[in-house]
Each structure stands twice: as structure tokens, then as C-alpha cells.
Amino acid sequence: MKYLYYLFFIFLFVSCDKSENSEEETSAPLSLPETISSSWYQKGKDSVRIIAHGGASAYEPFNSIASFKKAFELKADGIELDLMNSKDDSIMVFHDLNTKRFTGADYNVVDTKANVLRSLDIGNGEKMPFLSEVFRILPRGKKIYLEIKWWQEPSSRKNLKLIDKLIKQIEKSHRIHDCVVVSLDFDYLIKVKLKKPELNLFWINYDLAGRASTSERLSKYNFQGCNIFSSIINSELSDSLISKKKFLFAWTIDDGNVALDLCKKYKVSGIYTNKPDVIRRSLNSLIK
């Protein structure tokens, strides 16, 4: 009989652990109501924001503290960074599922503990940052675009704790209105929105075929804007986004003339760049 008790408690433990840490895929709601005042759009609609892609990554290691600090030195309006999770569910600033491309060492990020990931050199002696570190160096008034990369990994996608941890770190930073959560996966962004309706969300899109429906999807689910691959932007897309009061950001542009042309033709309201100084010089006449 005592063995049955042991089996019961083991089953109970496993069931509780699964309910806390994982999530079954559920269908998306038909739509989401507006939860953010349109004043957020009104404040930014007449300016062009220069967003440092992985920081000023043309000059310092991509997604490093040095790169983010350099971006602010070069007067970027904000930074974009990538988020992955470690084996022990720390939120790390890193782009890839595997570390080899940026560090030379071969580790799958989600299968590796944070202390091991932190021991790797991501360039010039820089360590892989925690998201909490970046919040501490973010100057007031600067935006931070948080691109979730962990959605690509099945175990991470089902891990309920990750979205909760991200939201808690944003709340703890007291910078919720400076934060924009970004992802290529539209359905995953809906999960974030359901958890924290006040968050600003941007969807990444480089699908030429799906370009026409972009503004409708953003409006339906109350997302604030999109990041569009620069070569597929056209007037129809731009006009539809403006009519819906949605931001249009272009990525990733290091040529000042290309950035200037996009802003003039299509009223692009944000430029992602590895060279914020180059883009600022080019767009100086447009930036208010």
C-alpha cells in the first residue's frame, strides 16, 4: 500500500510541475480590444526614430552592453535586442538558438545554464547580458525593443514562466511605456498581449504575399506597429498603416540615402540600423 502512496505523490508532483511550466497550444481569440491610448501613436507619428539594431553593432559586439552604451553615445532613440532563455530560465540577450556563430563555442542556449553562457566571450571580452542588466543602463526617454527569439524552440514556447518573467522584469524596470515587445510569430505576441494588455507590441513581417493584410491584423489584435523588411515597403502598405494609426519601422538599413528615401516616400516612422550615427546625419532634417 505504501508504494501506491509514493506513486500518487510522484504523479501529483509531475502534474503540478507541468501545469506551472508548460502550456498547451490554444487557438487565438477572434480579436483583442483596444487597451492602449492612441496618444502613444500621436506622440511619435511625426518623428523618425533611430533604433540601434543589437546596439551600435557596427562598432561593438552585437547584443552586448558595450554596443548598447555606444548606441546611446551616438544619440540613438532606442535599442533593439534579442531575447533567449537559459536552461534555468534566465532571460538572456542573445540572437541565436546556438552560441557557436557569435562565441565559437557550441552550446544550445536553452539547454545551458546561465552561468555557463555568461562565461562565453561574445566579442571583445563582452559577456552575454541578462535583460535586467540592460534595463539598468537604459537612459530615461530611450525606447527598448525586445525581440522574443525563444518562441522558435518548442520547449521554450510552451514554458509559461518565460512570459511571466519577462513581464515582471519590465514592470520592475518601471519602463513599461518605453518597452515594445517584438516577434516574428504573431500568435506568440497574442499570448503576451493576453498576459499584459498594456504592453506595446510590434509584429515583424517580411512576407511579400501577406503585406496587404498587415494593417488589418494589427488593428484586429490591437498591436501598435510592425517591423517590415525595407525592400517590400510600398505606398499601399504605408497608407493603410497610417490610416489605422500604426507605426511602420524598416529594417535593417545602414545606408543614409536609403533611409532618407524610405522616410520621404513612405513616411516610415522608425529605422533599424547598425550605424545610428550614419542614419542620424542623413535624417537630421527630418527628425524633430
Side-chain angles (χ1 to χ4, degrees):
M1 180 65 71
K2 67 178 181 180
Y3 295 111
L4 291 177
Y5 281 115
Y6 290 144
L7 288 171
F8 172 74
F9 283 115
I10 289 171
F11 173 78
L12 183 64
F13 174 78
V14 171
S15 299
C16 291
D17 184 66
K18 181 178 180 181
S19 65
E20 289 178 359
N21 293 300
S22 64
E23 173 182 36
E24 295 299 324
E25 291 292 324
T26 56
S27 58
L30 295 177
S31 63
L32 290 172
E34 182 174 352
T35 53
I36 298 173
S37 169
S38 60
S39 64
W40 194 79
Y41 174 80
Q42 290 300 123
K43 288 177 181 177
K45 72 181 180 63
D46 295 324
S47 62
V48 180
R49 292 173 181 166
I50 297 174
I51 310 303
H53 175 240
S57 52
Y59 313 112
E60 298 288 351
F62 188 67
N63 272 330
S64 68
I65 293 294
S67 188
F68 301 137
K69 288 181 175 179
K70 185 68 174 179
F72 301 135
E73 290 174 14
L74 298 177
K75 309 299 181 185
D77 298 305
I79 55 173
E80 179 269 354
L81 52 79
D82 303 288
L83 300 179
M84 283 294 300
N85 65 292
S86 65
K87 183 177 181 178
D88 42 0
D89 282 348
S90 293
I91 297 182
M92 315 299 298
V93 178
F94 200 69
H95 185 280
D96 291 1
L97 296 176
N98 186 279
T99 62
K100 191 166 186 178
R101 180 163 71 107
F102 289 101
T103 72
D106 190 1
Y107 292 93
N108 290 326
V109 178
V110 300
D111 297 324
T112 308
K113 290 187 176 181
N115 65 324
V116 176
L117 296 172
R118 294 274 289 172
S119 71
L120 305 177
D121 184 347
I122 63 171
N124 296 346
E126 289 286 312
K127 294 180 179 180
M128 189 184 301
F130 290 117
L131 174 59
S132 55
E133 287 182 284
V134 183
F135 275 129
R136 287 196 291 270
I137 67 161
L138 185 67
R140 290 289 167 185
K142 299 295 186 180
K143 300 293 183 183
I144 181 168
Y145 293 77
L146 306 162
E147 184 178 341
I148 294 174
K149 291 290 190 181
W150 67 61
W151 67 268
Q152 304 169 84
E153 212 290 324
S155 65
S156 299
R157 186 184 181 88
K158 293 180 180 180
N159 187 341
L160 274 174
K161 286 185 176 180
L162 290 175
I163 295 177
D164 290 336
K165 281 194 169 189
L166 175 59
I167 290 170
K168 285 179 182 177
Q169 288 197 29
I170 291 172
E171 290 174 335
K172 188 176 179 180
S173 75
H174 303 293
R175 305 294 292 273
I176 188 168
H177 297 297
D178 291 332
C179 292
V180 181
V181 177
V182 183
S183 181
L184 181 65
D185 189 279
F186 199 90
D187 290 335
Y188 198 82
L189 284 173
I190 292 174
K191 295 178 187 292
V192 176
K193 191 74 170 178
L194 290 170
K195 288 270 188 177
K196 189 70 174 178
E198 306 95 305
L199 278 171
N200 296 302
L201 301 181
F202 273 34
W203 176 44
I204 301 172
N205 185 11
Y206 55 84
D207 177 15
L208 187 62
R211 177 180 54 183
S213 63
T214 297
S215 63
E216 297 300 326
R217 294 189 73 185
L218 296 178
S219 293
K220 184 177 179 181
Y221 290 98
N222 189 30
F223 291 3
Q224 283 61 54
C226 58
N227 301 340
I228 301 287
F229 187 49
S230 58
S231 67
I232 69 169
I233 295 173
N234 64 6
S235 296
E236 180 184 5
L237 173 66
S238 173
D239 292 344
S240 66
L241 289 168
I242 290 171
S243 71
K244 300 288 187 182
K245 296 184 178 180
K246 304 299 178 184
F247 287 112
L248 170 59
F249 282 30
W251 57 275
T252 301
I253 302 164
D254 292 335
D255 185 315
N257 291 327
V258 172
L260 188 61
D261 190 51
L262 280 170
C263 292
K264 286 181 175 179
K265 279 185 178 179
Y266 306 122
K267 296 183 180 179
V268 167
S269 44
I271 299 289
Y272 286 87
T273 179
N274 304 301
K275 299 178 178 180
D277 53 332
V278 171
I279 302 303
R280 182 163 292 284
R281 285 196 297 269
S282 180
L283 301 188
N284 192 51
S285 61
L286 295 178
I287 299 173
K288 298 181 180 180

